[in-house]
Amino acid sequence: LTSTVFHVSARSVACQALSIFGDHSDVMAVRATGWGLLASNSPQEIMDFTLISQAATLEARVPFVHFFDGFRTSSEVNKVEQLTIGDLRAMIDDDLVMAHRTRGFSPERPFIRGPAPNPDVFFQARETVNPFYDKTPEIVQKAMDKFAGLTGRQYNLFDYIGAPDAERVIVIMGSGAEVAHETVEYLVAQGEKVGLLKVRLYRPFSVKHFVDAMPDTVKVVAALDRTKEPGSAGEPLYQDCITAMVETGRQIKVIGGRYGLSSKEFTPPMVKGIFDEMKKDGPKNHFTVGIQDDVTHTSLDYDPAFNIEGDDVVRAMFYGLGSDGTVGANKNSVKIIGEDTPNYAQGYFQYDSKKAGAVTVSHLRFGPRPIRQTCLITSANFVACHQFMVLEQFDMLENAAQGATFLLNAPFGPNDVWDNIPREVQQQIVDKDLKFYVIDAYRVAKD
């Protein structure tokens, strides 16, 4: 019952191998501790939920882990509306802060904590936390409502997006919810009866708020977990969904699936593939999406060519080497365009764990609307290669859209460069009708 918040960029727990990248396995490993778990899906939500969780923990006295996806969200550059000092002061109750401070250990206020009781009282005392947890969901919702009054951004414990008469709904939390959000809006516009339920407050899990947020028309729910618990009856969110349906008597079929372990890509085609699976009379349960599981055959099929990105969104990919300045320059570009134009901007930087000297790929998006595509670019209208040698190592034009622009940094002049690039690259430039530009940037920098 000590008010505190840990802000966690969630990453993979080592299993058959160690990975520095992101999923929810570390967060799910702390469910039994009794800490509240609040999920952010985007950089804007990280800023907002930082304040909401702090206000809630002061009143609830339940400690919180406010988590978001490691790398995919923690390393993303995006345009956000910054909170002001006035917002912070309005959300934090000074009386609750003082009450928190007076609970600190002091010889002036003797108090005992952490004794070693026997079986006669331990069980009874353990149950005394119940009222605090029972009140926490409403306290968090109250903080969200107060925040909305200050900023205009309304959050709920569970936020529903999609058709009001949806028959198929995905339940998810973390950055994958942003991909699903944009995909659901696209599919609904095509006449599909689909929806998305974003989980905000995962612990304490409020069955009432969860069920109330679900349309009455829903027939099938797919609960997506970004973790794997070998040997369990199902992953955590899947089991919570089933429990909620059983306890409230809702006759809804629930299937569960795993996605995105260790920052594996989760894309609109995969979201559509899940919705397509849910149409079947016997949809696959305990599935995986985003990999090809040829061992136990859990994978769902999907069409990787499915694309929902608008033509008015600039999608740029930059290939460089670690520590060559490519990432730093692109971060500056995102900030300049985001701050000095009306456009929204997003930057995400794909590394491997070897860091300096390894290939980096920068994925930049710019457009007139908020950018929810928390996945790598697969159809770029601008591709830049900052290191000529990389041209021979990677198929960097694979993701270039028809008619895109290709910029190459090369030690060759415009009359010689064509004869020095690989034959396969020449063919792609011709087949895709690319606009091809070349620059000797190192000579420019030297001069």
Side-chain angles (χ1 to χ4, degrees):
L1 298 178
T2 301
S3 301
T4 190
V5 184
F6 287 4
H7 305 282
V8 175
S9 54
R11 297 203 193 186
S12 302
V13 173
C15 39
Q16 84 284 353
L18 174 145
S19 172
I20 66 171
F21 294 97
D23 59 34
H24 298 163
S25 55
D26 58 353
V27 172
M28 294 304 158
V30 302
R31 279 172 294 149
T33 62
W35 283 53
L37 297 174
L38 189 66
S40 286
N41 304 339
S42 68
Q44 181 71 66
E45 291 183 12
I46 290 175
M47 175 174 287
D48 295 348
F49 285 15
T50 295
L51 181 54
I52 289 170
S53 59
Q54 188 62 58
T57 192
L58 284 168
E59 182 174 353
R61 292 188 61 194
V62 169
F64 273 82
V65 168
H66 161 226
F67 71 93
F68 39 92
D69 290 354
F71 279 90
R72 182 59 256 184
T73 309
S74 66
S75 296
E76 181 179 316
V77 183
N78 209 315
K79 188 170 186 172
V80 301
E81 183 177 323
Q82 190 169 357
L83 297 176
T84 66
I85 294 297
D87 295 331
L88 273 59
R89 291 192 181 281
M91 281 292 293
I92 302 301
D93 188 327
D94 288 344
D95 291 339
L96 293 177
V97 173
M98 293 309 299
H100 172 70
R101 289 181 174 178
T102 57
R103 287 193 291 269
F105 282 132
S106 168
E108 303 296 325
R109 298 181 301 276
F111 193 85
I112 186 169
R113 290 185 195 161
N118 287 314
D120 56 340
V121 295
F122 182 91
F123 189 177
Q124 298 93 308
R126 187 73 188 103
E127 295 298 317
T128 62
V129 303
N130 294 348
F132 292 91
Y133 285 90
D134 291 342
K135 294 174 184 176
T136 296
E138 291 295 349
I139 290 172
V140 174
Q141 187 60 63
K142 183 172 71 172
M144 289 176 166
D145 294 342
K146 184 177 181 180
F147 182 87
L150 294 169
T151 67
R153 293 190 292 280
Q154 177 68 62
Y155 299 105
N156 296 286
L157 304 187
F158 301 91
D159 274 320
Y160 178 76
I161 306 295
D165 58 347
E167 297 178 352
R168 292 165 286 146
V169 169
I170 283 176
V171 179
I172 192 172
M173 56 186 163
S175 63
E178 295 294 277
V179 174
H181 183 140
E182 202 155 286
T183 309
V184 163
E185 288 184 335
Y186 179 89
L187 294 174
V188 169
Q190 306 296 312
E192 298 265 14
K193 292 185 178 181
V194 298
L196 161 70
L197 195 62
K198 298 181 182 181
V199 178
R200 309 290 194 189
L201 183 67
Y202 180 56
R203 288 288 187 272
F205 192 91
S206 173
V207 169
K208 177 183 183 303
H209 287 88
F210 174 81
V211 172
D212 288 349
M214 190 83 68
D216 295 332
T217 53
V218 177
K219 297 178 180 178
V220 184
V221 165
L224 301 186
D225 282 275
R226 199 161 199 162
T227 188
K228 179 176 177 61
E229 293 195 354
S232 69
E235 272 63 46
L237 186 56
Y238 165 75
Q239 295 202 52
D240 291 333
C241 287
I242 289 179
T243 300
M245 298 308 172
V246 171
E247 288 190 357
T248 56
R250 294 287 297 270
Q251 299 299 310
I252 297 176
K253 183 176 183 62
V254 180
I255 61 174
R258 297 179 295 281
Y259 75 100
L261 267 64
S262 186
S263 290
K264 194 75 171 183
E265 276 291 274
F266 184 61
T267 64
M270 297 173 197
V271 175
K272 185 177 184 299
I274 295 168
F275 280 126
D276 290 344
E277 183 71 18
M278 294 164 74
K279 283 182 179 178
K280 299 177 181 178
D281 291 336
K284 183 179 288 187
N285 199 0
H286 307 295
F287 61 82
T288 57
V289 66
I291 61 170
Q292 187 58 48
D293 174 13
D294 56 0
V295 178
T296 50
H297 310 291
T298 59
S299 305
L300 298 187
D301 293 327
Y302 61 91
D303 179 11
F306 177 70
N307 182 31
I308 66 173
E309 296 208 70
D311 293 334
D312 56 351
V313 177
V314 175
R315 304 178 300 278
M317 296 176 66
F318 296 78
Y319 289 79
L321 294 180
S323 303
D324 72 353
T326 296
V327 170
N330 282 321
K331 285 183 177 180
N332 285 336
S333 298
V334 172
K335 292 173 184 176
I336 291 168
I337 293 173
E339 291 175 3
D340 298 326
T341 78
N343 286 299
Y344 290 87
Q346 179 201 59
Y348 183 75
F349 309 96
Q350 189 180 6
Y351 311 87
D352 64 22
S353 58
K354 301 174 183 65
K355 305 296 184 184
V359 172
T360 65
V361 187
S362 302
H363 297 255
L364 275 57
R365 289 182 174 96
F366 308 101
R369 298 173 301 280
I371 298 169
R372 298 183 181 276
Q373 288 271 15
T374 50
C375 54
L376 304 180
I377 293 171
T378 56
S379 178
N381 43 35
F382 181 90
V383 178
C385 176
H386 287 188
Q387 303 288 344
F388 189 83
M389 70 190 85
V390 178
L391 197 62
E392 300 177 345
Q393 300 171 356
F394 291 88
D395 184 4
M396 65 182 58
L397 295 182
E398 176 188 10
N399 294 323
Q402 197 73 20
T405 297
F406 176 40
L407 173 63
L408 175 63
N409 176 30
F412 310 105
N415 296 325
D416 303 317
V417 67
W418 187 258
D419 293 332
N420 284 279
I421 62 177
R423 166 72 181 176
E424 294 81 0
V425 177
Q426 293 177 349
Q427 193 64 53
Q428 285 176 302
I429 292 172
V430 173
D431 292 344
K432 293 190 174 186
D433 194 25
L434 302 183
K435 303 176 185 68
F436 182 30
Y437 293 83
V438 63
I439 183 173
D440 187 348
Y442 287 107
R443 178 177 292 276
V444 172
K446 182 179 178 180
D447 291 346

